[in-house]
Amino acid sequence: MNGRPTKFIFLTGGVVSSLGKGLSAAAIGALLQARGLKVTLLKLDPYINVDPGTMSPTQHGEVFVTDDGAETDLDLGHYERFIGRPMSRKNNFTSGQVYETVIANERRGDYLGGTVQVIPHITDEIKRRILLAADGFDICVVEVGGIVGDIESLPFIEAIRQLRADVGHSHVLYIHLTLVPYIAAADEFKTKPTQHSVKELTGFGILPSIIICRSENLLDPKLKKKISLFCDVREDCVINAYDVRSIYELPLLLHKEGLDDRVCELLNIWTGAPNLSDWEHILRTTTSPQRGNVTIAMVGKYVDLKESYKSLSEAIHHAGIANDCRVMIAYVDSEAIEREGIEGVLSRACGTKTPDGILIPGGFGVRGTEGKIEAVRYAREKGIPFFGICLGLQMATIEFARSQAGIIDATSREFSDQGTFVIDMMEEQKRTRDMGGTMRLGSYPCALAAGSRARSLYEAEMINERHRHRFEVNNDFREKLSKAGLLFSGLSPDGFLVEIIEIKDHPWFLAVQYHPEFKSSPRAPHPLFTGFVAAALAQSVERREKKDR
Ligand code: GLN
């Protein structure tokens, strides 16, 4: 503890899911940080999986990876992007982890013959983990996953209720996020769901001091009054978070509604007014960029589930902020490329056969990979800026091996048991039997080759980036690929693992084995994304000029 006790803000959700609780938590964190406070955030997930690493992206959305190699909820990505501070495995835990610990304690005999129960043993473990994450911070914003009333999240709700007595009433603030739906037939916003949801929360012994109401449009002050009356919350503590143009507008909107003032008042915190100039700049460039539009074709498999590429699409938008342009992402289905050929699919998705850039994101499994390899070939041959990420690097390596190094049956061991494995599994991965948490995970150093594009973009010799994969470039083929013109511009410091590849005589062709998107934020856009979008912008300007001539 750094002298001052930590203040806790618990954010619960009501009515429906997908109201943007994670973003609200992140924006609250950003606002308090902008007032000079040391802020951390924590997400409690009610499901029994130990972590989301083994869940399908269609079920869970993106798996966010921290520096220390935890596979976590995608809300941690929002937290990092909004407060610009790295999260760790302490900042997210699941019911599965809580039960795993308690059961291990029980097997060791720690409970000395007692009956092990949800209260106090599970709730104690939840509180222990919350206090652990909060240690050393002025403010800890705790987002409780799920909706109040869900059976699964009850132990979390009970734990945060108890915690108020443990740390002192003046150090705890409960905020409840709800939906105020608009009913078109009646031409009215309805507060009843909010009333019910607050009543339910009150039934568990928690009376929220602030209610954030999500709505499609600005709410009438009369509705705030009504909610205040029925929910026993001060009128100026009913905060209206109506739909905004960009998620990065949220801190500004919540500030305008007075949220950070109320939080500081209720928690008895003295700070100056927040410095929001960064957020104002970000909003200006996202809503009215000065240098035009670029279209990036993102060729992937889970194109129908954009949530699984959350950090990636954000990182691309951050690069738009850095380049003062608007980046449109065209999600291109790689299996459609296999069926219909690349030009038709690109034209349909991007409105042009030659998008300004092509990006292949991370992914798992063989499905759609031939379409991705075809997209690499197209980008390479047509001189379209290309950025490959994780699986994208593996696709680029395979394409290059087949077409430039004469290894016509080049493939990855992930896809087939036949062929030449230019992408292969490391020995330690071959010995691994468990699926959960066993990939190469978390931050690893990478040395950048002098004279490479990577080196000039990062402006550094050594970098650290986050990984989440099982397969790697097979070192047996490095010499051959290198002779054919592939540059291995980033390697692990011992030279053993390939981290970055480039093709020199191409406007912009670079792929990485790691996930740079996890470290991009609107206030510090990632240099590789910034470079990629700059190259795409240059192409689009060139094309526009040609057309004008
Ligand atoms: N499936 C590949 C691997 O496991 C790539 C993983 C990824 O793109 N994150 O190595």
Side-chain angles (χ1 to χ4, degrees), residues 23 27 48 121 162 376 408 459 538:
L23 282 169
I48 309 290
H121 301 97
Q162 292 175 11
V376 178
I408 46 171
E459 296 176 11

Side-chain angles (χ1 to χ4, degrees), residues 157-402:
I157 301 287
E158 170 60 13
I160 65 167
R161 184 194 66 78
Q162 292 175 11
L163 217 109
R164 188 157 78 132
D166 296 353
V167 301
H169 283 221
S170 59
H171 298 324
V172 169
L173 179 68
Y174 299 110
I175 302 184
H176 192 52
L177 175 74
T178 71
L179 175 72
V180 179
Y182 173 71
I183 308 296
D187 187 24
E188 254 183 314
F189 283 99
K190 293 292 183 188
T191 65
K192 193 63 87 189
T194 298
Q195 295 175 37
H196 278 297
S197 165
V198 170
K199 199 183 257 174
E200 183 134 35
L201 189 57
T202 316
F204 298 123
I206 295 177
L207 183 64
S209 302
I210 295 180
I211 299 177
I212 303 180
C213 301
R214 290 279 282 114
S215 61
E216 268 175 47
N217 286 306
L218 188 65
L219 293 179
D220 194 294
K222 273 193 263 167
L223 287 178
K224 283 193 175 181
K225 202 177 205 120
K226 191 167 172 190
I227 291 169
S228 158
L229 180 68
F230 279 97
C231 301
D232 206 5
V233 168
R234 268 167 46 183
E235 205 177 320
D236 62 354
C237 289
V238 179
I239 304 293
N240 182 201
Y242 49 87
D243 288 355
V244 280
R245 293 162 287 180
S246 149
I247 56 170
Y248 300 120
E249 194 171 346
L250 206 51
L252 298 171
L253 165 69
L254 295 177
H255 174 65
K256 209 168 69 193
E257 286 281 309
L259 180 65
D260 50 317
D261 282 334
R262 295 293 85 70
V263 167
C264 289
E265 181 197 331
L266 293 166
L267 282 173
N268 209 0
I269 302 170
W270 292 95
T271 73
N275 176 357
L276 296 171
S277 54
D278 282 356
W279 297 106
E280 279 152 9
H281 166 75
I282 290 163
L283 180 63
R284 204 280 296 151
T285 36
T286 32
T287 49
S288 45
Q290 303 297 302
R291 297 178 62 214
N293 296 344
V294 297
T295 304
I296 304 293
M298 190 154 128
V299 183
K301 183 172 65 166
Y302 304 116
V303 282
D304 45 345
L305 202 89
K306 318 229 162 75
E307 284 288 286
S308 55
Y309 295 123
K310 195 83 219 155
S311 294
L312 187 52
S313 54
E314 288 306 315
I316 294 170
H317 287 303
H318 304 156
I321 295 171
N323 285 288
D324 205 359
C325 68
R326 176 168 287 121
V327 189
M328 332 260 242
I329 302 174
Y331 293 89
V332 177
D333 178 5
S334 56
E335 285 182 294
I337 297 178
E338 292 170 8
R339 286 192 305 268
E340 301 162 37
I342 186 146
E343 293 198 333
V345 176
L346 285 179
S347 305
R348 202 170 60 225
C350 315
T352 162
K353 284 188 296 194
T354 44
D356 304 316
I358 293 182
L359 186 148
I360 299 188
F364 293 84
V366 66
R367 197 153 64 81
T369 48
E370 287 304 320
K372 295 180 194 180
I373 292 169
E374 173 64 4
V376 178
R377 182 192 64 77
Y378 195 73
R380 188 179 52 74
E381 288 179 352
K382 301 271 181 214
I384 301 170
F386 172 81
F387 193 11
I389 291 174
C390 207
L391 183 71
L393 172 138
Q394 300 174 356
M395 301 287 84
T397 307
I398 292 170
E399 195 284 322
F400 193 88
R402 288 183 190 173

